[in-house]
Amino acid sequence: MKLGDVRKDAIELLKKTSPSPELDTDLIISNVLNKNRTWITFHRDEYIAQEDFESIKKATTQRLTGLPIAYITNKKEFYGYDFYVNQDVLIPKPDTELMIDLAINIIGQKMANHSNYIPTICDMCTGSGCVGISILKTLHEIDNIQVTELPKITMVDISQKALCVAKKNSESLLKQEMQERISFLQSNLFDEIPYKFDLIVTNPPYIPHNEVLELLKDGRNEPILALDGDILETGDYSNTNDGLELIRRLVPQAYDHLSPQGQLIMETGEYNAEEAAEILKSTGFKDIKIEKDLAGQLRDVLGRK
């Protein structure tokens, strides 16, 4: 079949469920053929192999169920870098890119004020590793910081499967000498972590329980463990439905694992940022503020020990 006909048929199918059928179709075709969207535009009269046609058909069927394109292609761009993702991790969202900007600014100030200073960072609830890896790559590629002067990052997650994804991204996106700046640790929050950090960045589960159940009705299949903020240490539902159950445990632990004057950056989003800021205040954090994302929504809560 001609590429143009395959594309047209897929778009018509995806119009039933997708808000962006043309984009979804082009991303599927691009992934299968390993070509960019510009190539697809100018080669619609070309015939494609039967094997490629079957792969496009299979991916289109998956998308019809609500499965996100990122899980179908195992790829999601974040902060200008292509990350591998699967259903063991949350798909990186553009809103989380704000955390990278904030972290880069804090690290830059610390390094400017202290010669020969190498910050230590904890990326708690790392998931795909997109936050920690993006911080390292940006400091090296854009801020021109030498590898030996880059921060040392500990990436932590309760899920071993998530850590495997983070390791995969580290290996594919970082040179060997940069990979050596990262360590991976499986832990329920800070339970297995004996040391302190200059900066803790975290995008923990913070969505209220009932909201999570509603979100997952569309078939997106993102791991509930990475979304639901109302889960107890036992794994049971807390009955709070405010998305803050895990954050109530995380914030005091983060405070105890920060060096003097160390800082916390935590994404909580529009659901409960102001309530999360109050938790930081009651824990003893100073200089607390909430940063908004590009859409003007409350997004990240910051505090200093």
Side-chain angles (χ1 to χ4, degrees):
M1 292 183 67
K2 284 186 178 180
L3 175 59
D5 293 334
V6 173
R7 180 178 183 273
K8 181 180 178 180
D9 291 346
I11 290 172
E12 286 302 313
L13 276 174
L14 292 181
K15 282 181 179 178
K16 299 175 183 178
T17 57
S18 172
S20 54
E22 291 191 14
L23 175 60
D24 288 357
T25 298
D26 285 349
L27 290 174
I28 288 170
I29 294 173
S30 176
N31 186 65
V32 171
L33 300 183
N34 196 26
K35 301 289 186 180
N36 60 37
R37 294 187 72 192
T38 301
W39 185 94
I40 294 170
T41 300
F42 290 102
H43 292 80
R44 292 182 185 175
D45 287 334
E46 289 200 14
Y47 286 87
I48 64 172
Q50 182 65 26
E51 180 182 356
D52 291 333
F53 168 69
E54 295 295 339
S55 295
I56 293 169
K57 183 179 178 181
K58 178 182 178 182
T60 303
T61 301
Q62 289 177 310
R63 183 68 186 108
L64 283 171
T65 68
L67 191 67
I69 287 290
Y71 286 152
I72 296 170
T73 62
N74 294 123
K75 185 188 302 180
K76 179 64 177 179
E77 182 180 331
F78 178 84
Y79 214 78
Y81 309 118
D82 285 335
F83 284 85
Y84 171 85
V85 294
N86 62 22
Q87 288 172 251
D88 294 323
V89 298
L90 198 66
I91 298 170
K93 307 296 192 293
D95 295 335
T96 304
E97 294 183 352
L98 171 63
M99 185 176 291
I100 313 304
D101 296 332
L102 296 171
I104 294 293
N105 183 53
I106 289 172
I107 294 165
Q109 290 179 357
K110 286 179 178 290
M111 296 184 76
N113 294 333
H114 302 85
S115 59
N116 301 318
Y117 173 70
I118 298 178
T120 55
I121 302 174
C122 175
D123 179 5
M124 175 57 67
C125 307
T126 189
S128 65
C130 64
V131 171
I133 291 171
S134 295
I135 290 172
L136 270 190
K137 284 184 71 68
T138 302
L139 285 170
H140 182 56
E141 296 175 0
I142 298 177
D143 291 11
N144 296 314
I145 295 178
Q146 297 299 312
V147 172
T148 54
E149 298 173 339
L150 286 172
K152 293 183 177 180
I153 300 184
T154 302
M155 292 187 172
V156 184
D157 206 287
I158 192 173
S159 167
Q160 185 59 49
K161 290 182 177 180
L163 287 175
C164 287
V165 173
K167 289 177 183 177
K168 183 180 180 72
N169 281 317
S170 173
E171 292 166 359
S172 65
L173 291 169
L174 301 176
K175 298 176 182 177
Q176 179 61 41
E177 56 184 348
M178 290 179 67
Q179 292 178 41
E180 293 172 0
R181 310 301 289 181
I182 297 177
S183 59
F184 299 89
L185 182 61
Q186 183 179 12
S187 176
N188 185 351
L189 298 181
F190 290 89
D191 285 356
E192 306 300 325
I193 304 176
Y195 32 83
K196 298 180 184 291
F197 303 91
D198 300 306
L199 174 65
I200 295 173
V201 292
T202 181
N203 181 13
Y206 58 78
I207 301 177
H209 180 73
N210 289 349
E211 293 278 352
V212 173
L213 298 180
E214 192 64 30
L215 283 172
L216 294 178
K217 284 181 180 179
D218 65 4
R220 67 180 62 191
N221 285 320
E222 290 186 277
I224 192 169
L225 187 66
L227 293 169
D228 196 334
D230 291 314
I231 300 299
L232 297 166
E233 285 184 277
T234 59
D236 300 316
Y237 172 44
S238 65
N239 292 311
T240 49
N241 198 40
D242 59 7
L244 292 167
E245 183 62 38
L246 185 139
I247 287 174
R248 291 188 185 96
R249 301 199 310 271
L250 187 157
V251 171
Q253 292 184 35
Y255 187 88
D256 290 340
H257 284 80
L258 281 170
S259 303
Q261 300 301 310
Q263 290 175 266
L264 170 68
I265 306 175
M266 179 175 65
E267 179 174 322
T268 60
E270 70 277 15
Y271 295 99
N272 45 35
E274 292 174 329
E275 293 85 350
E278 287 299 317
I279 294 173
L280 265 71
K281 182 179 179 180
S282 64
T283 301
F285 278 94
K286 307 298 182 184
D287 302 329
I288 299 165
K289 57 183 178 179
I290 304 174
E291 295 285 351
K292 294 181 178 180
D293 58 28
L294 292 175
Q297 296 279 11
L298 300 179
R299 183 59 51 190
D300 290 347
V301 181
L302 292 78
R304 184 192 306 274
K305 184 170 182 177

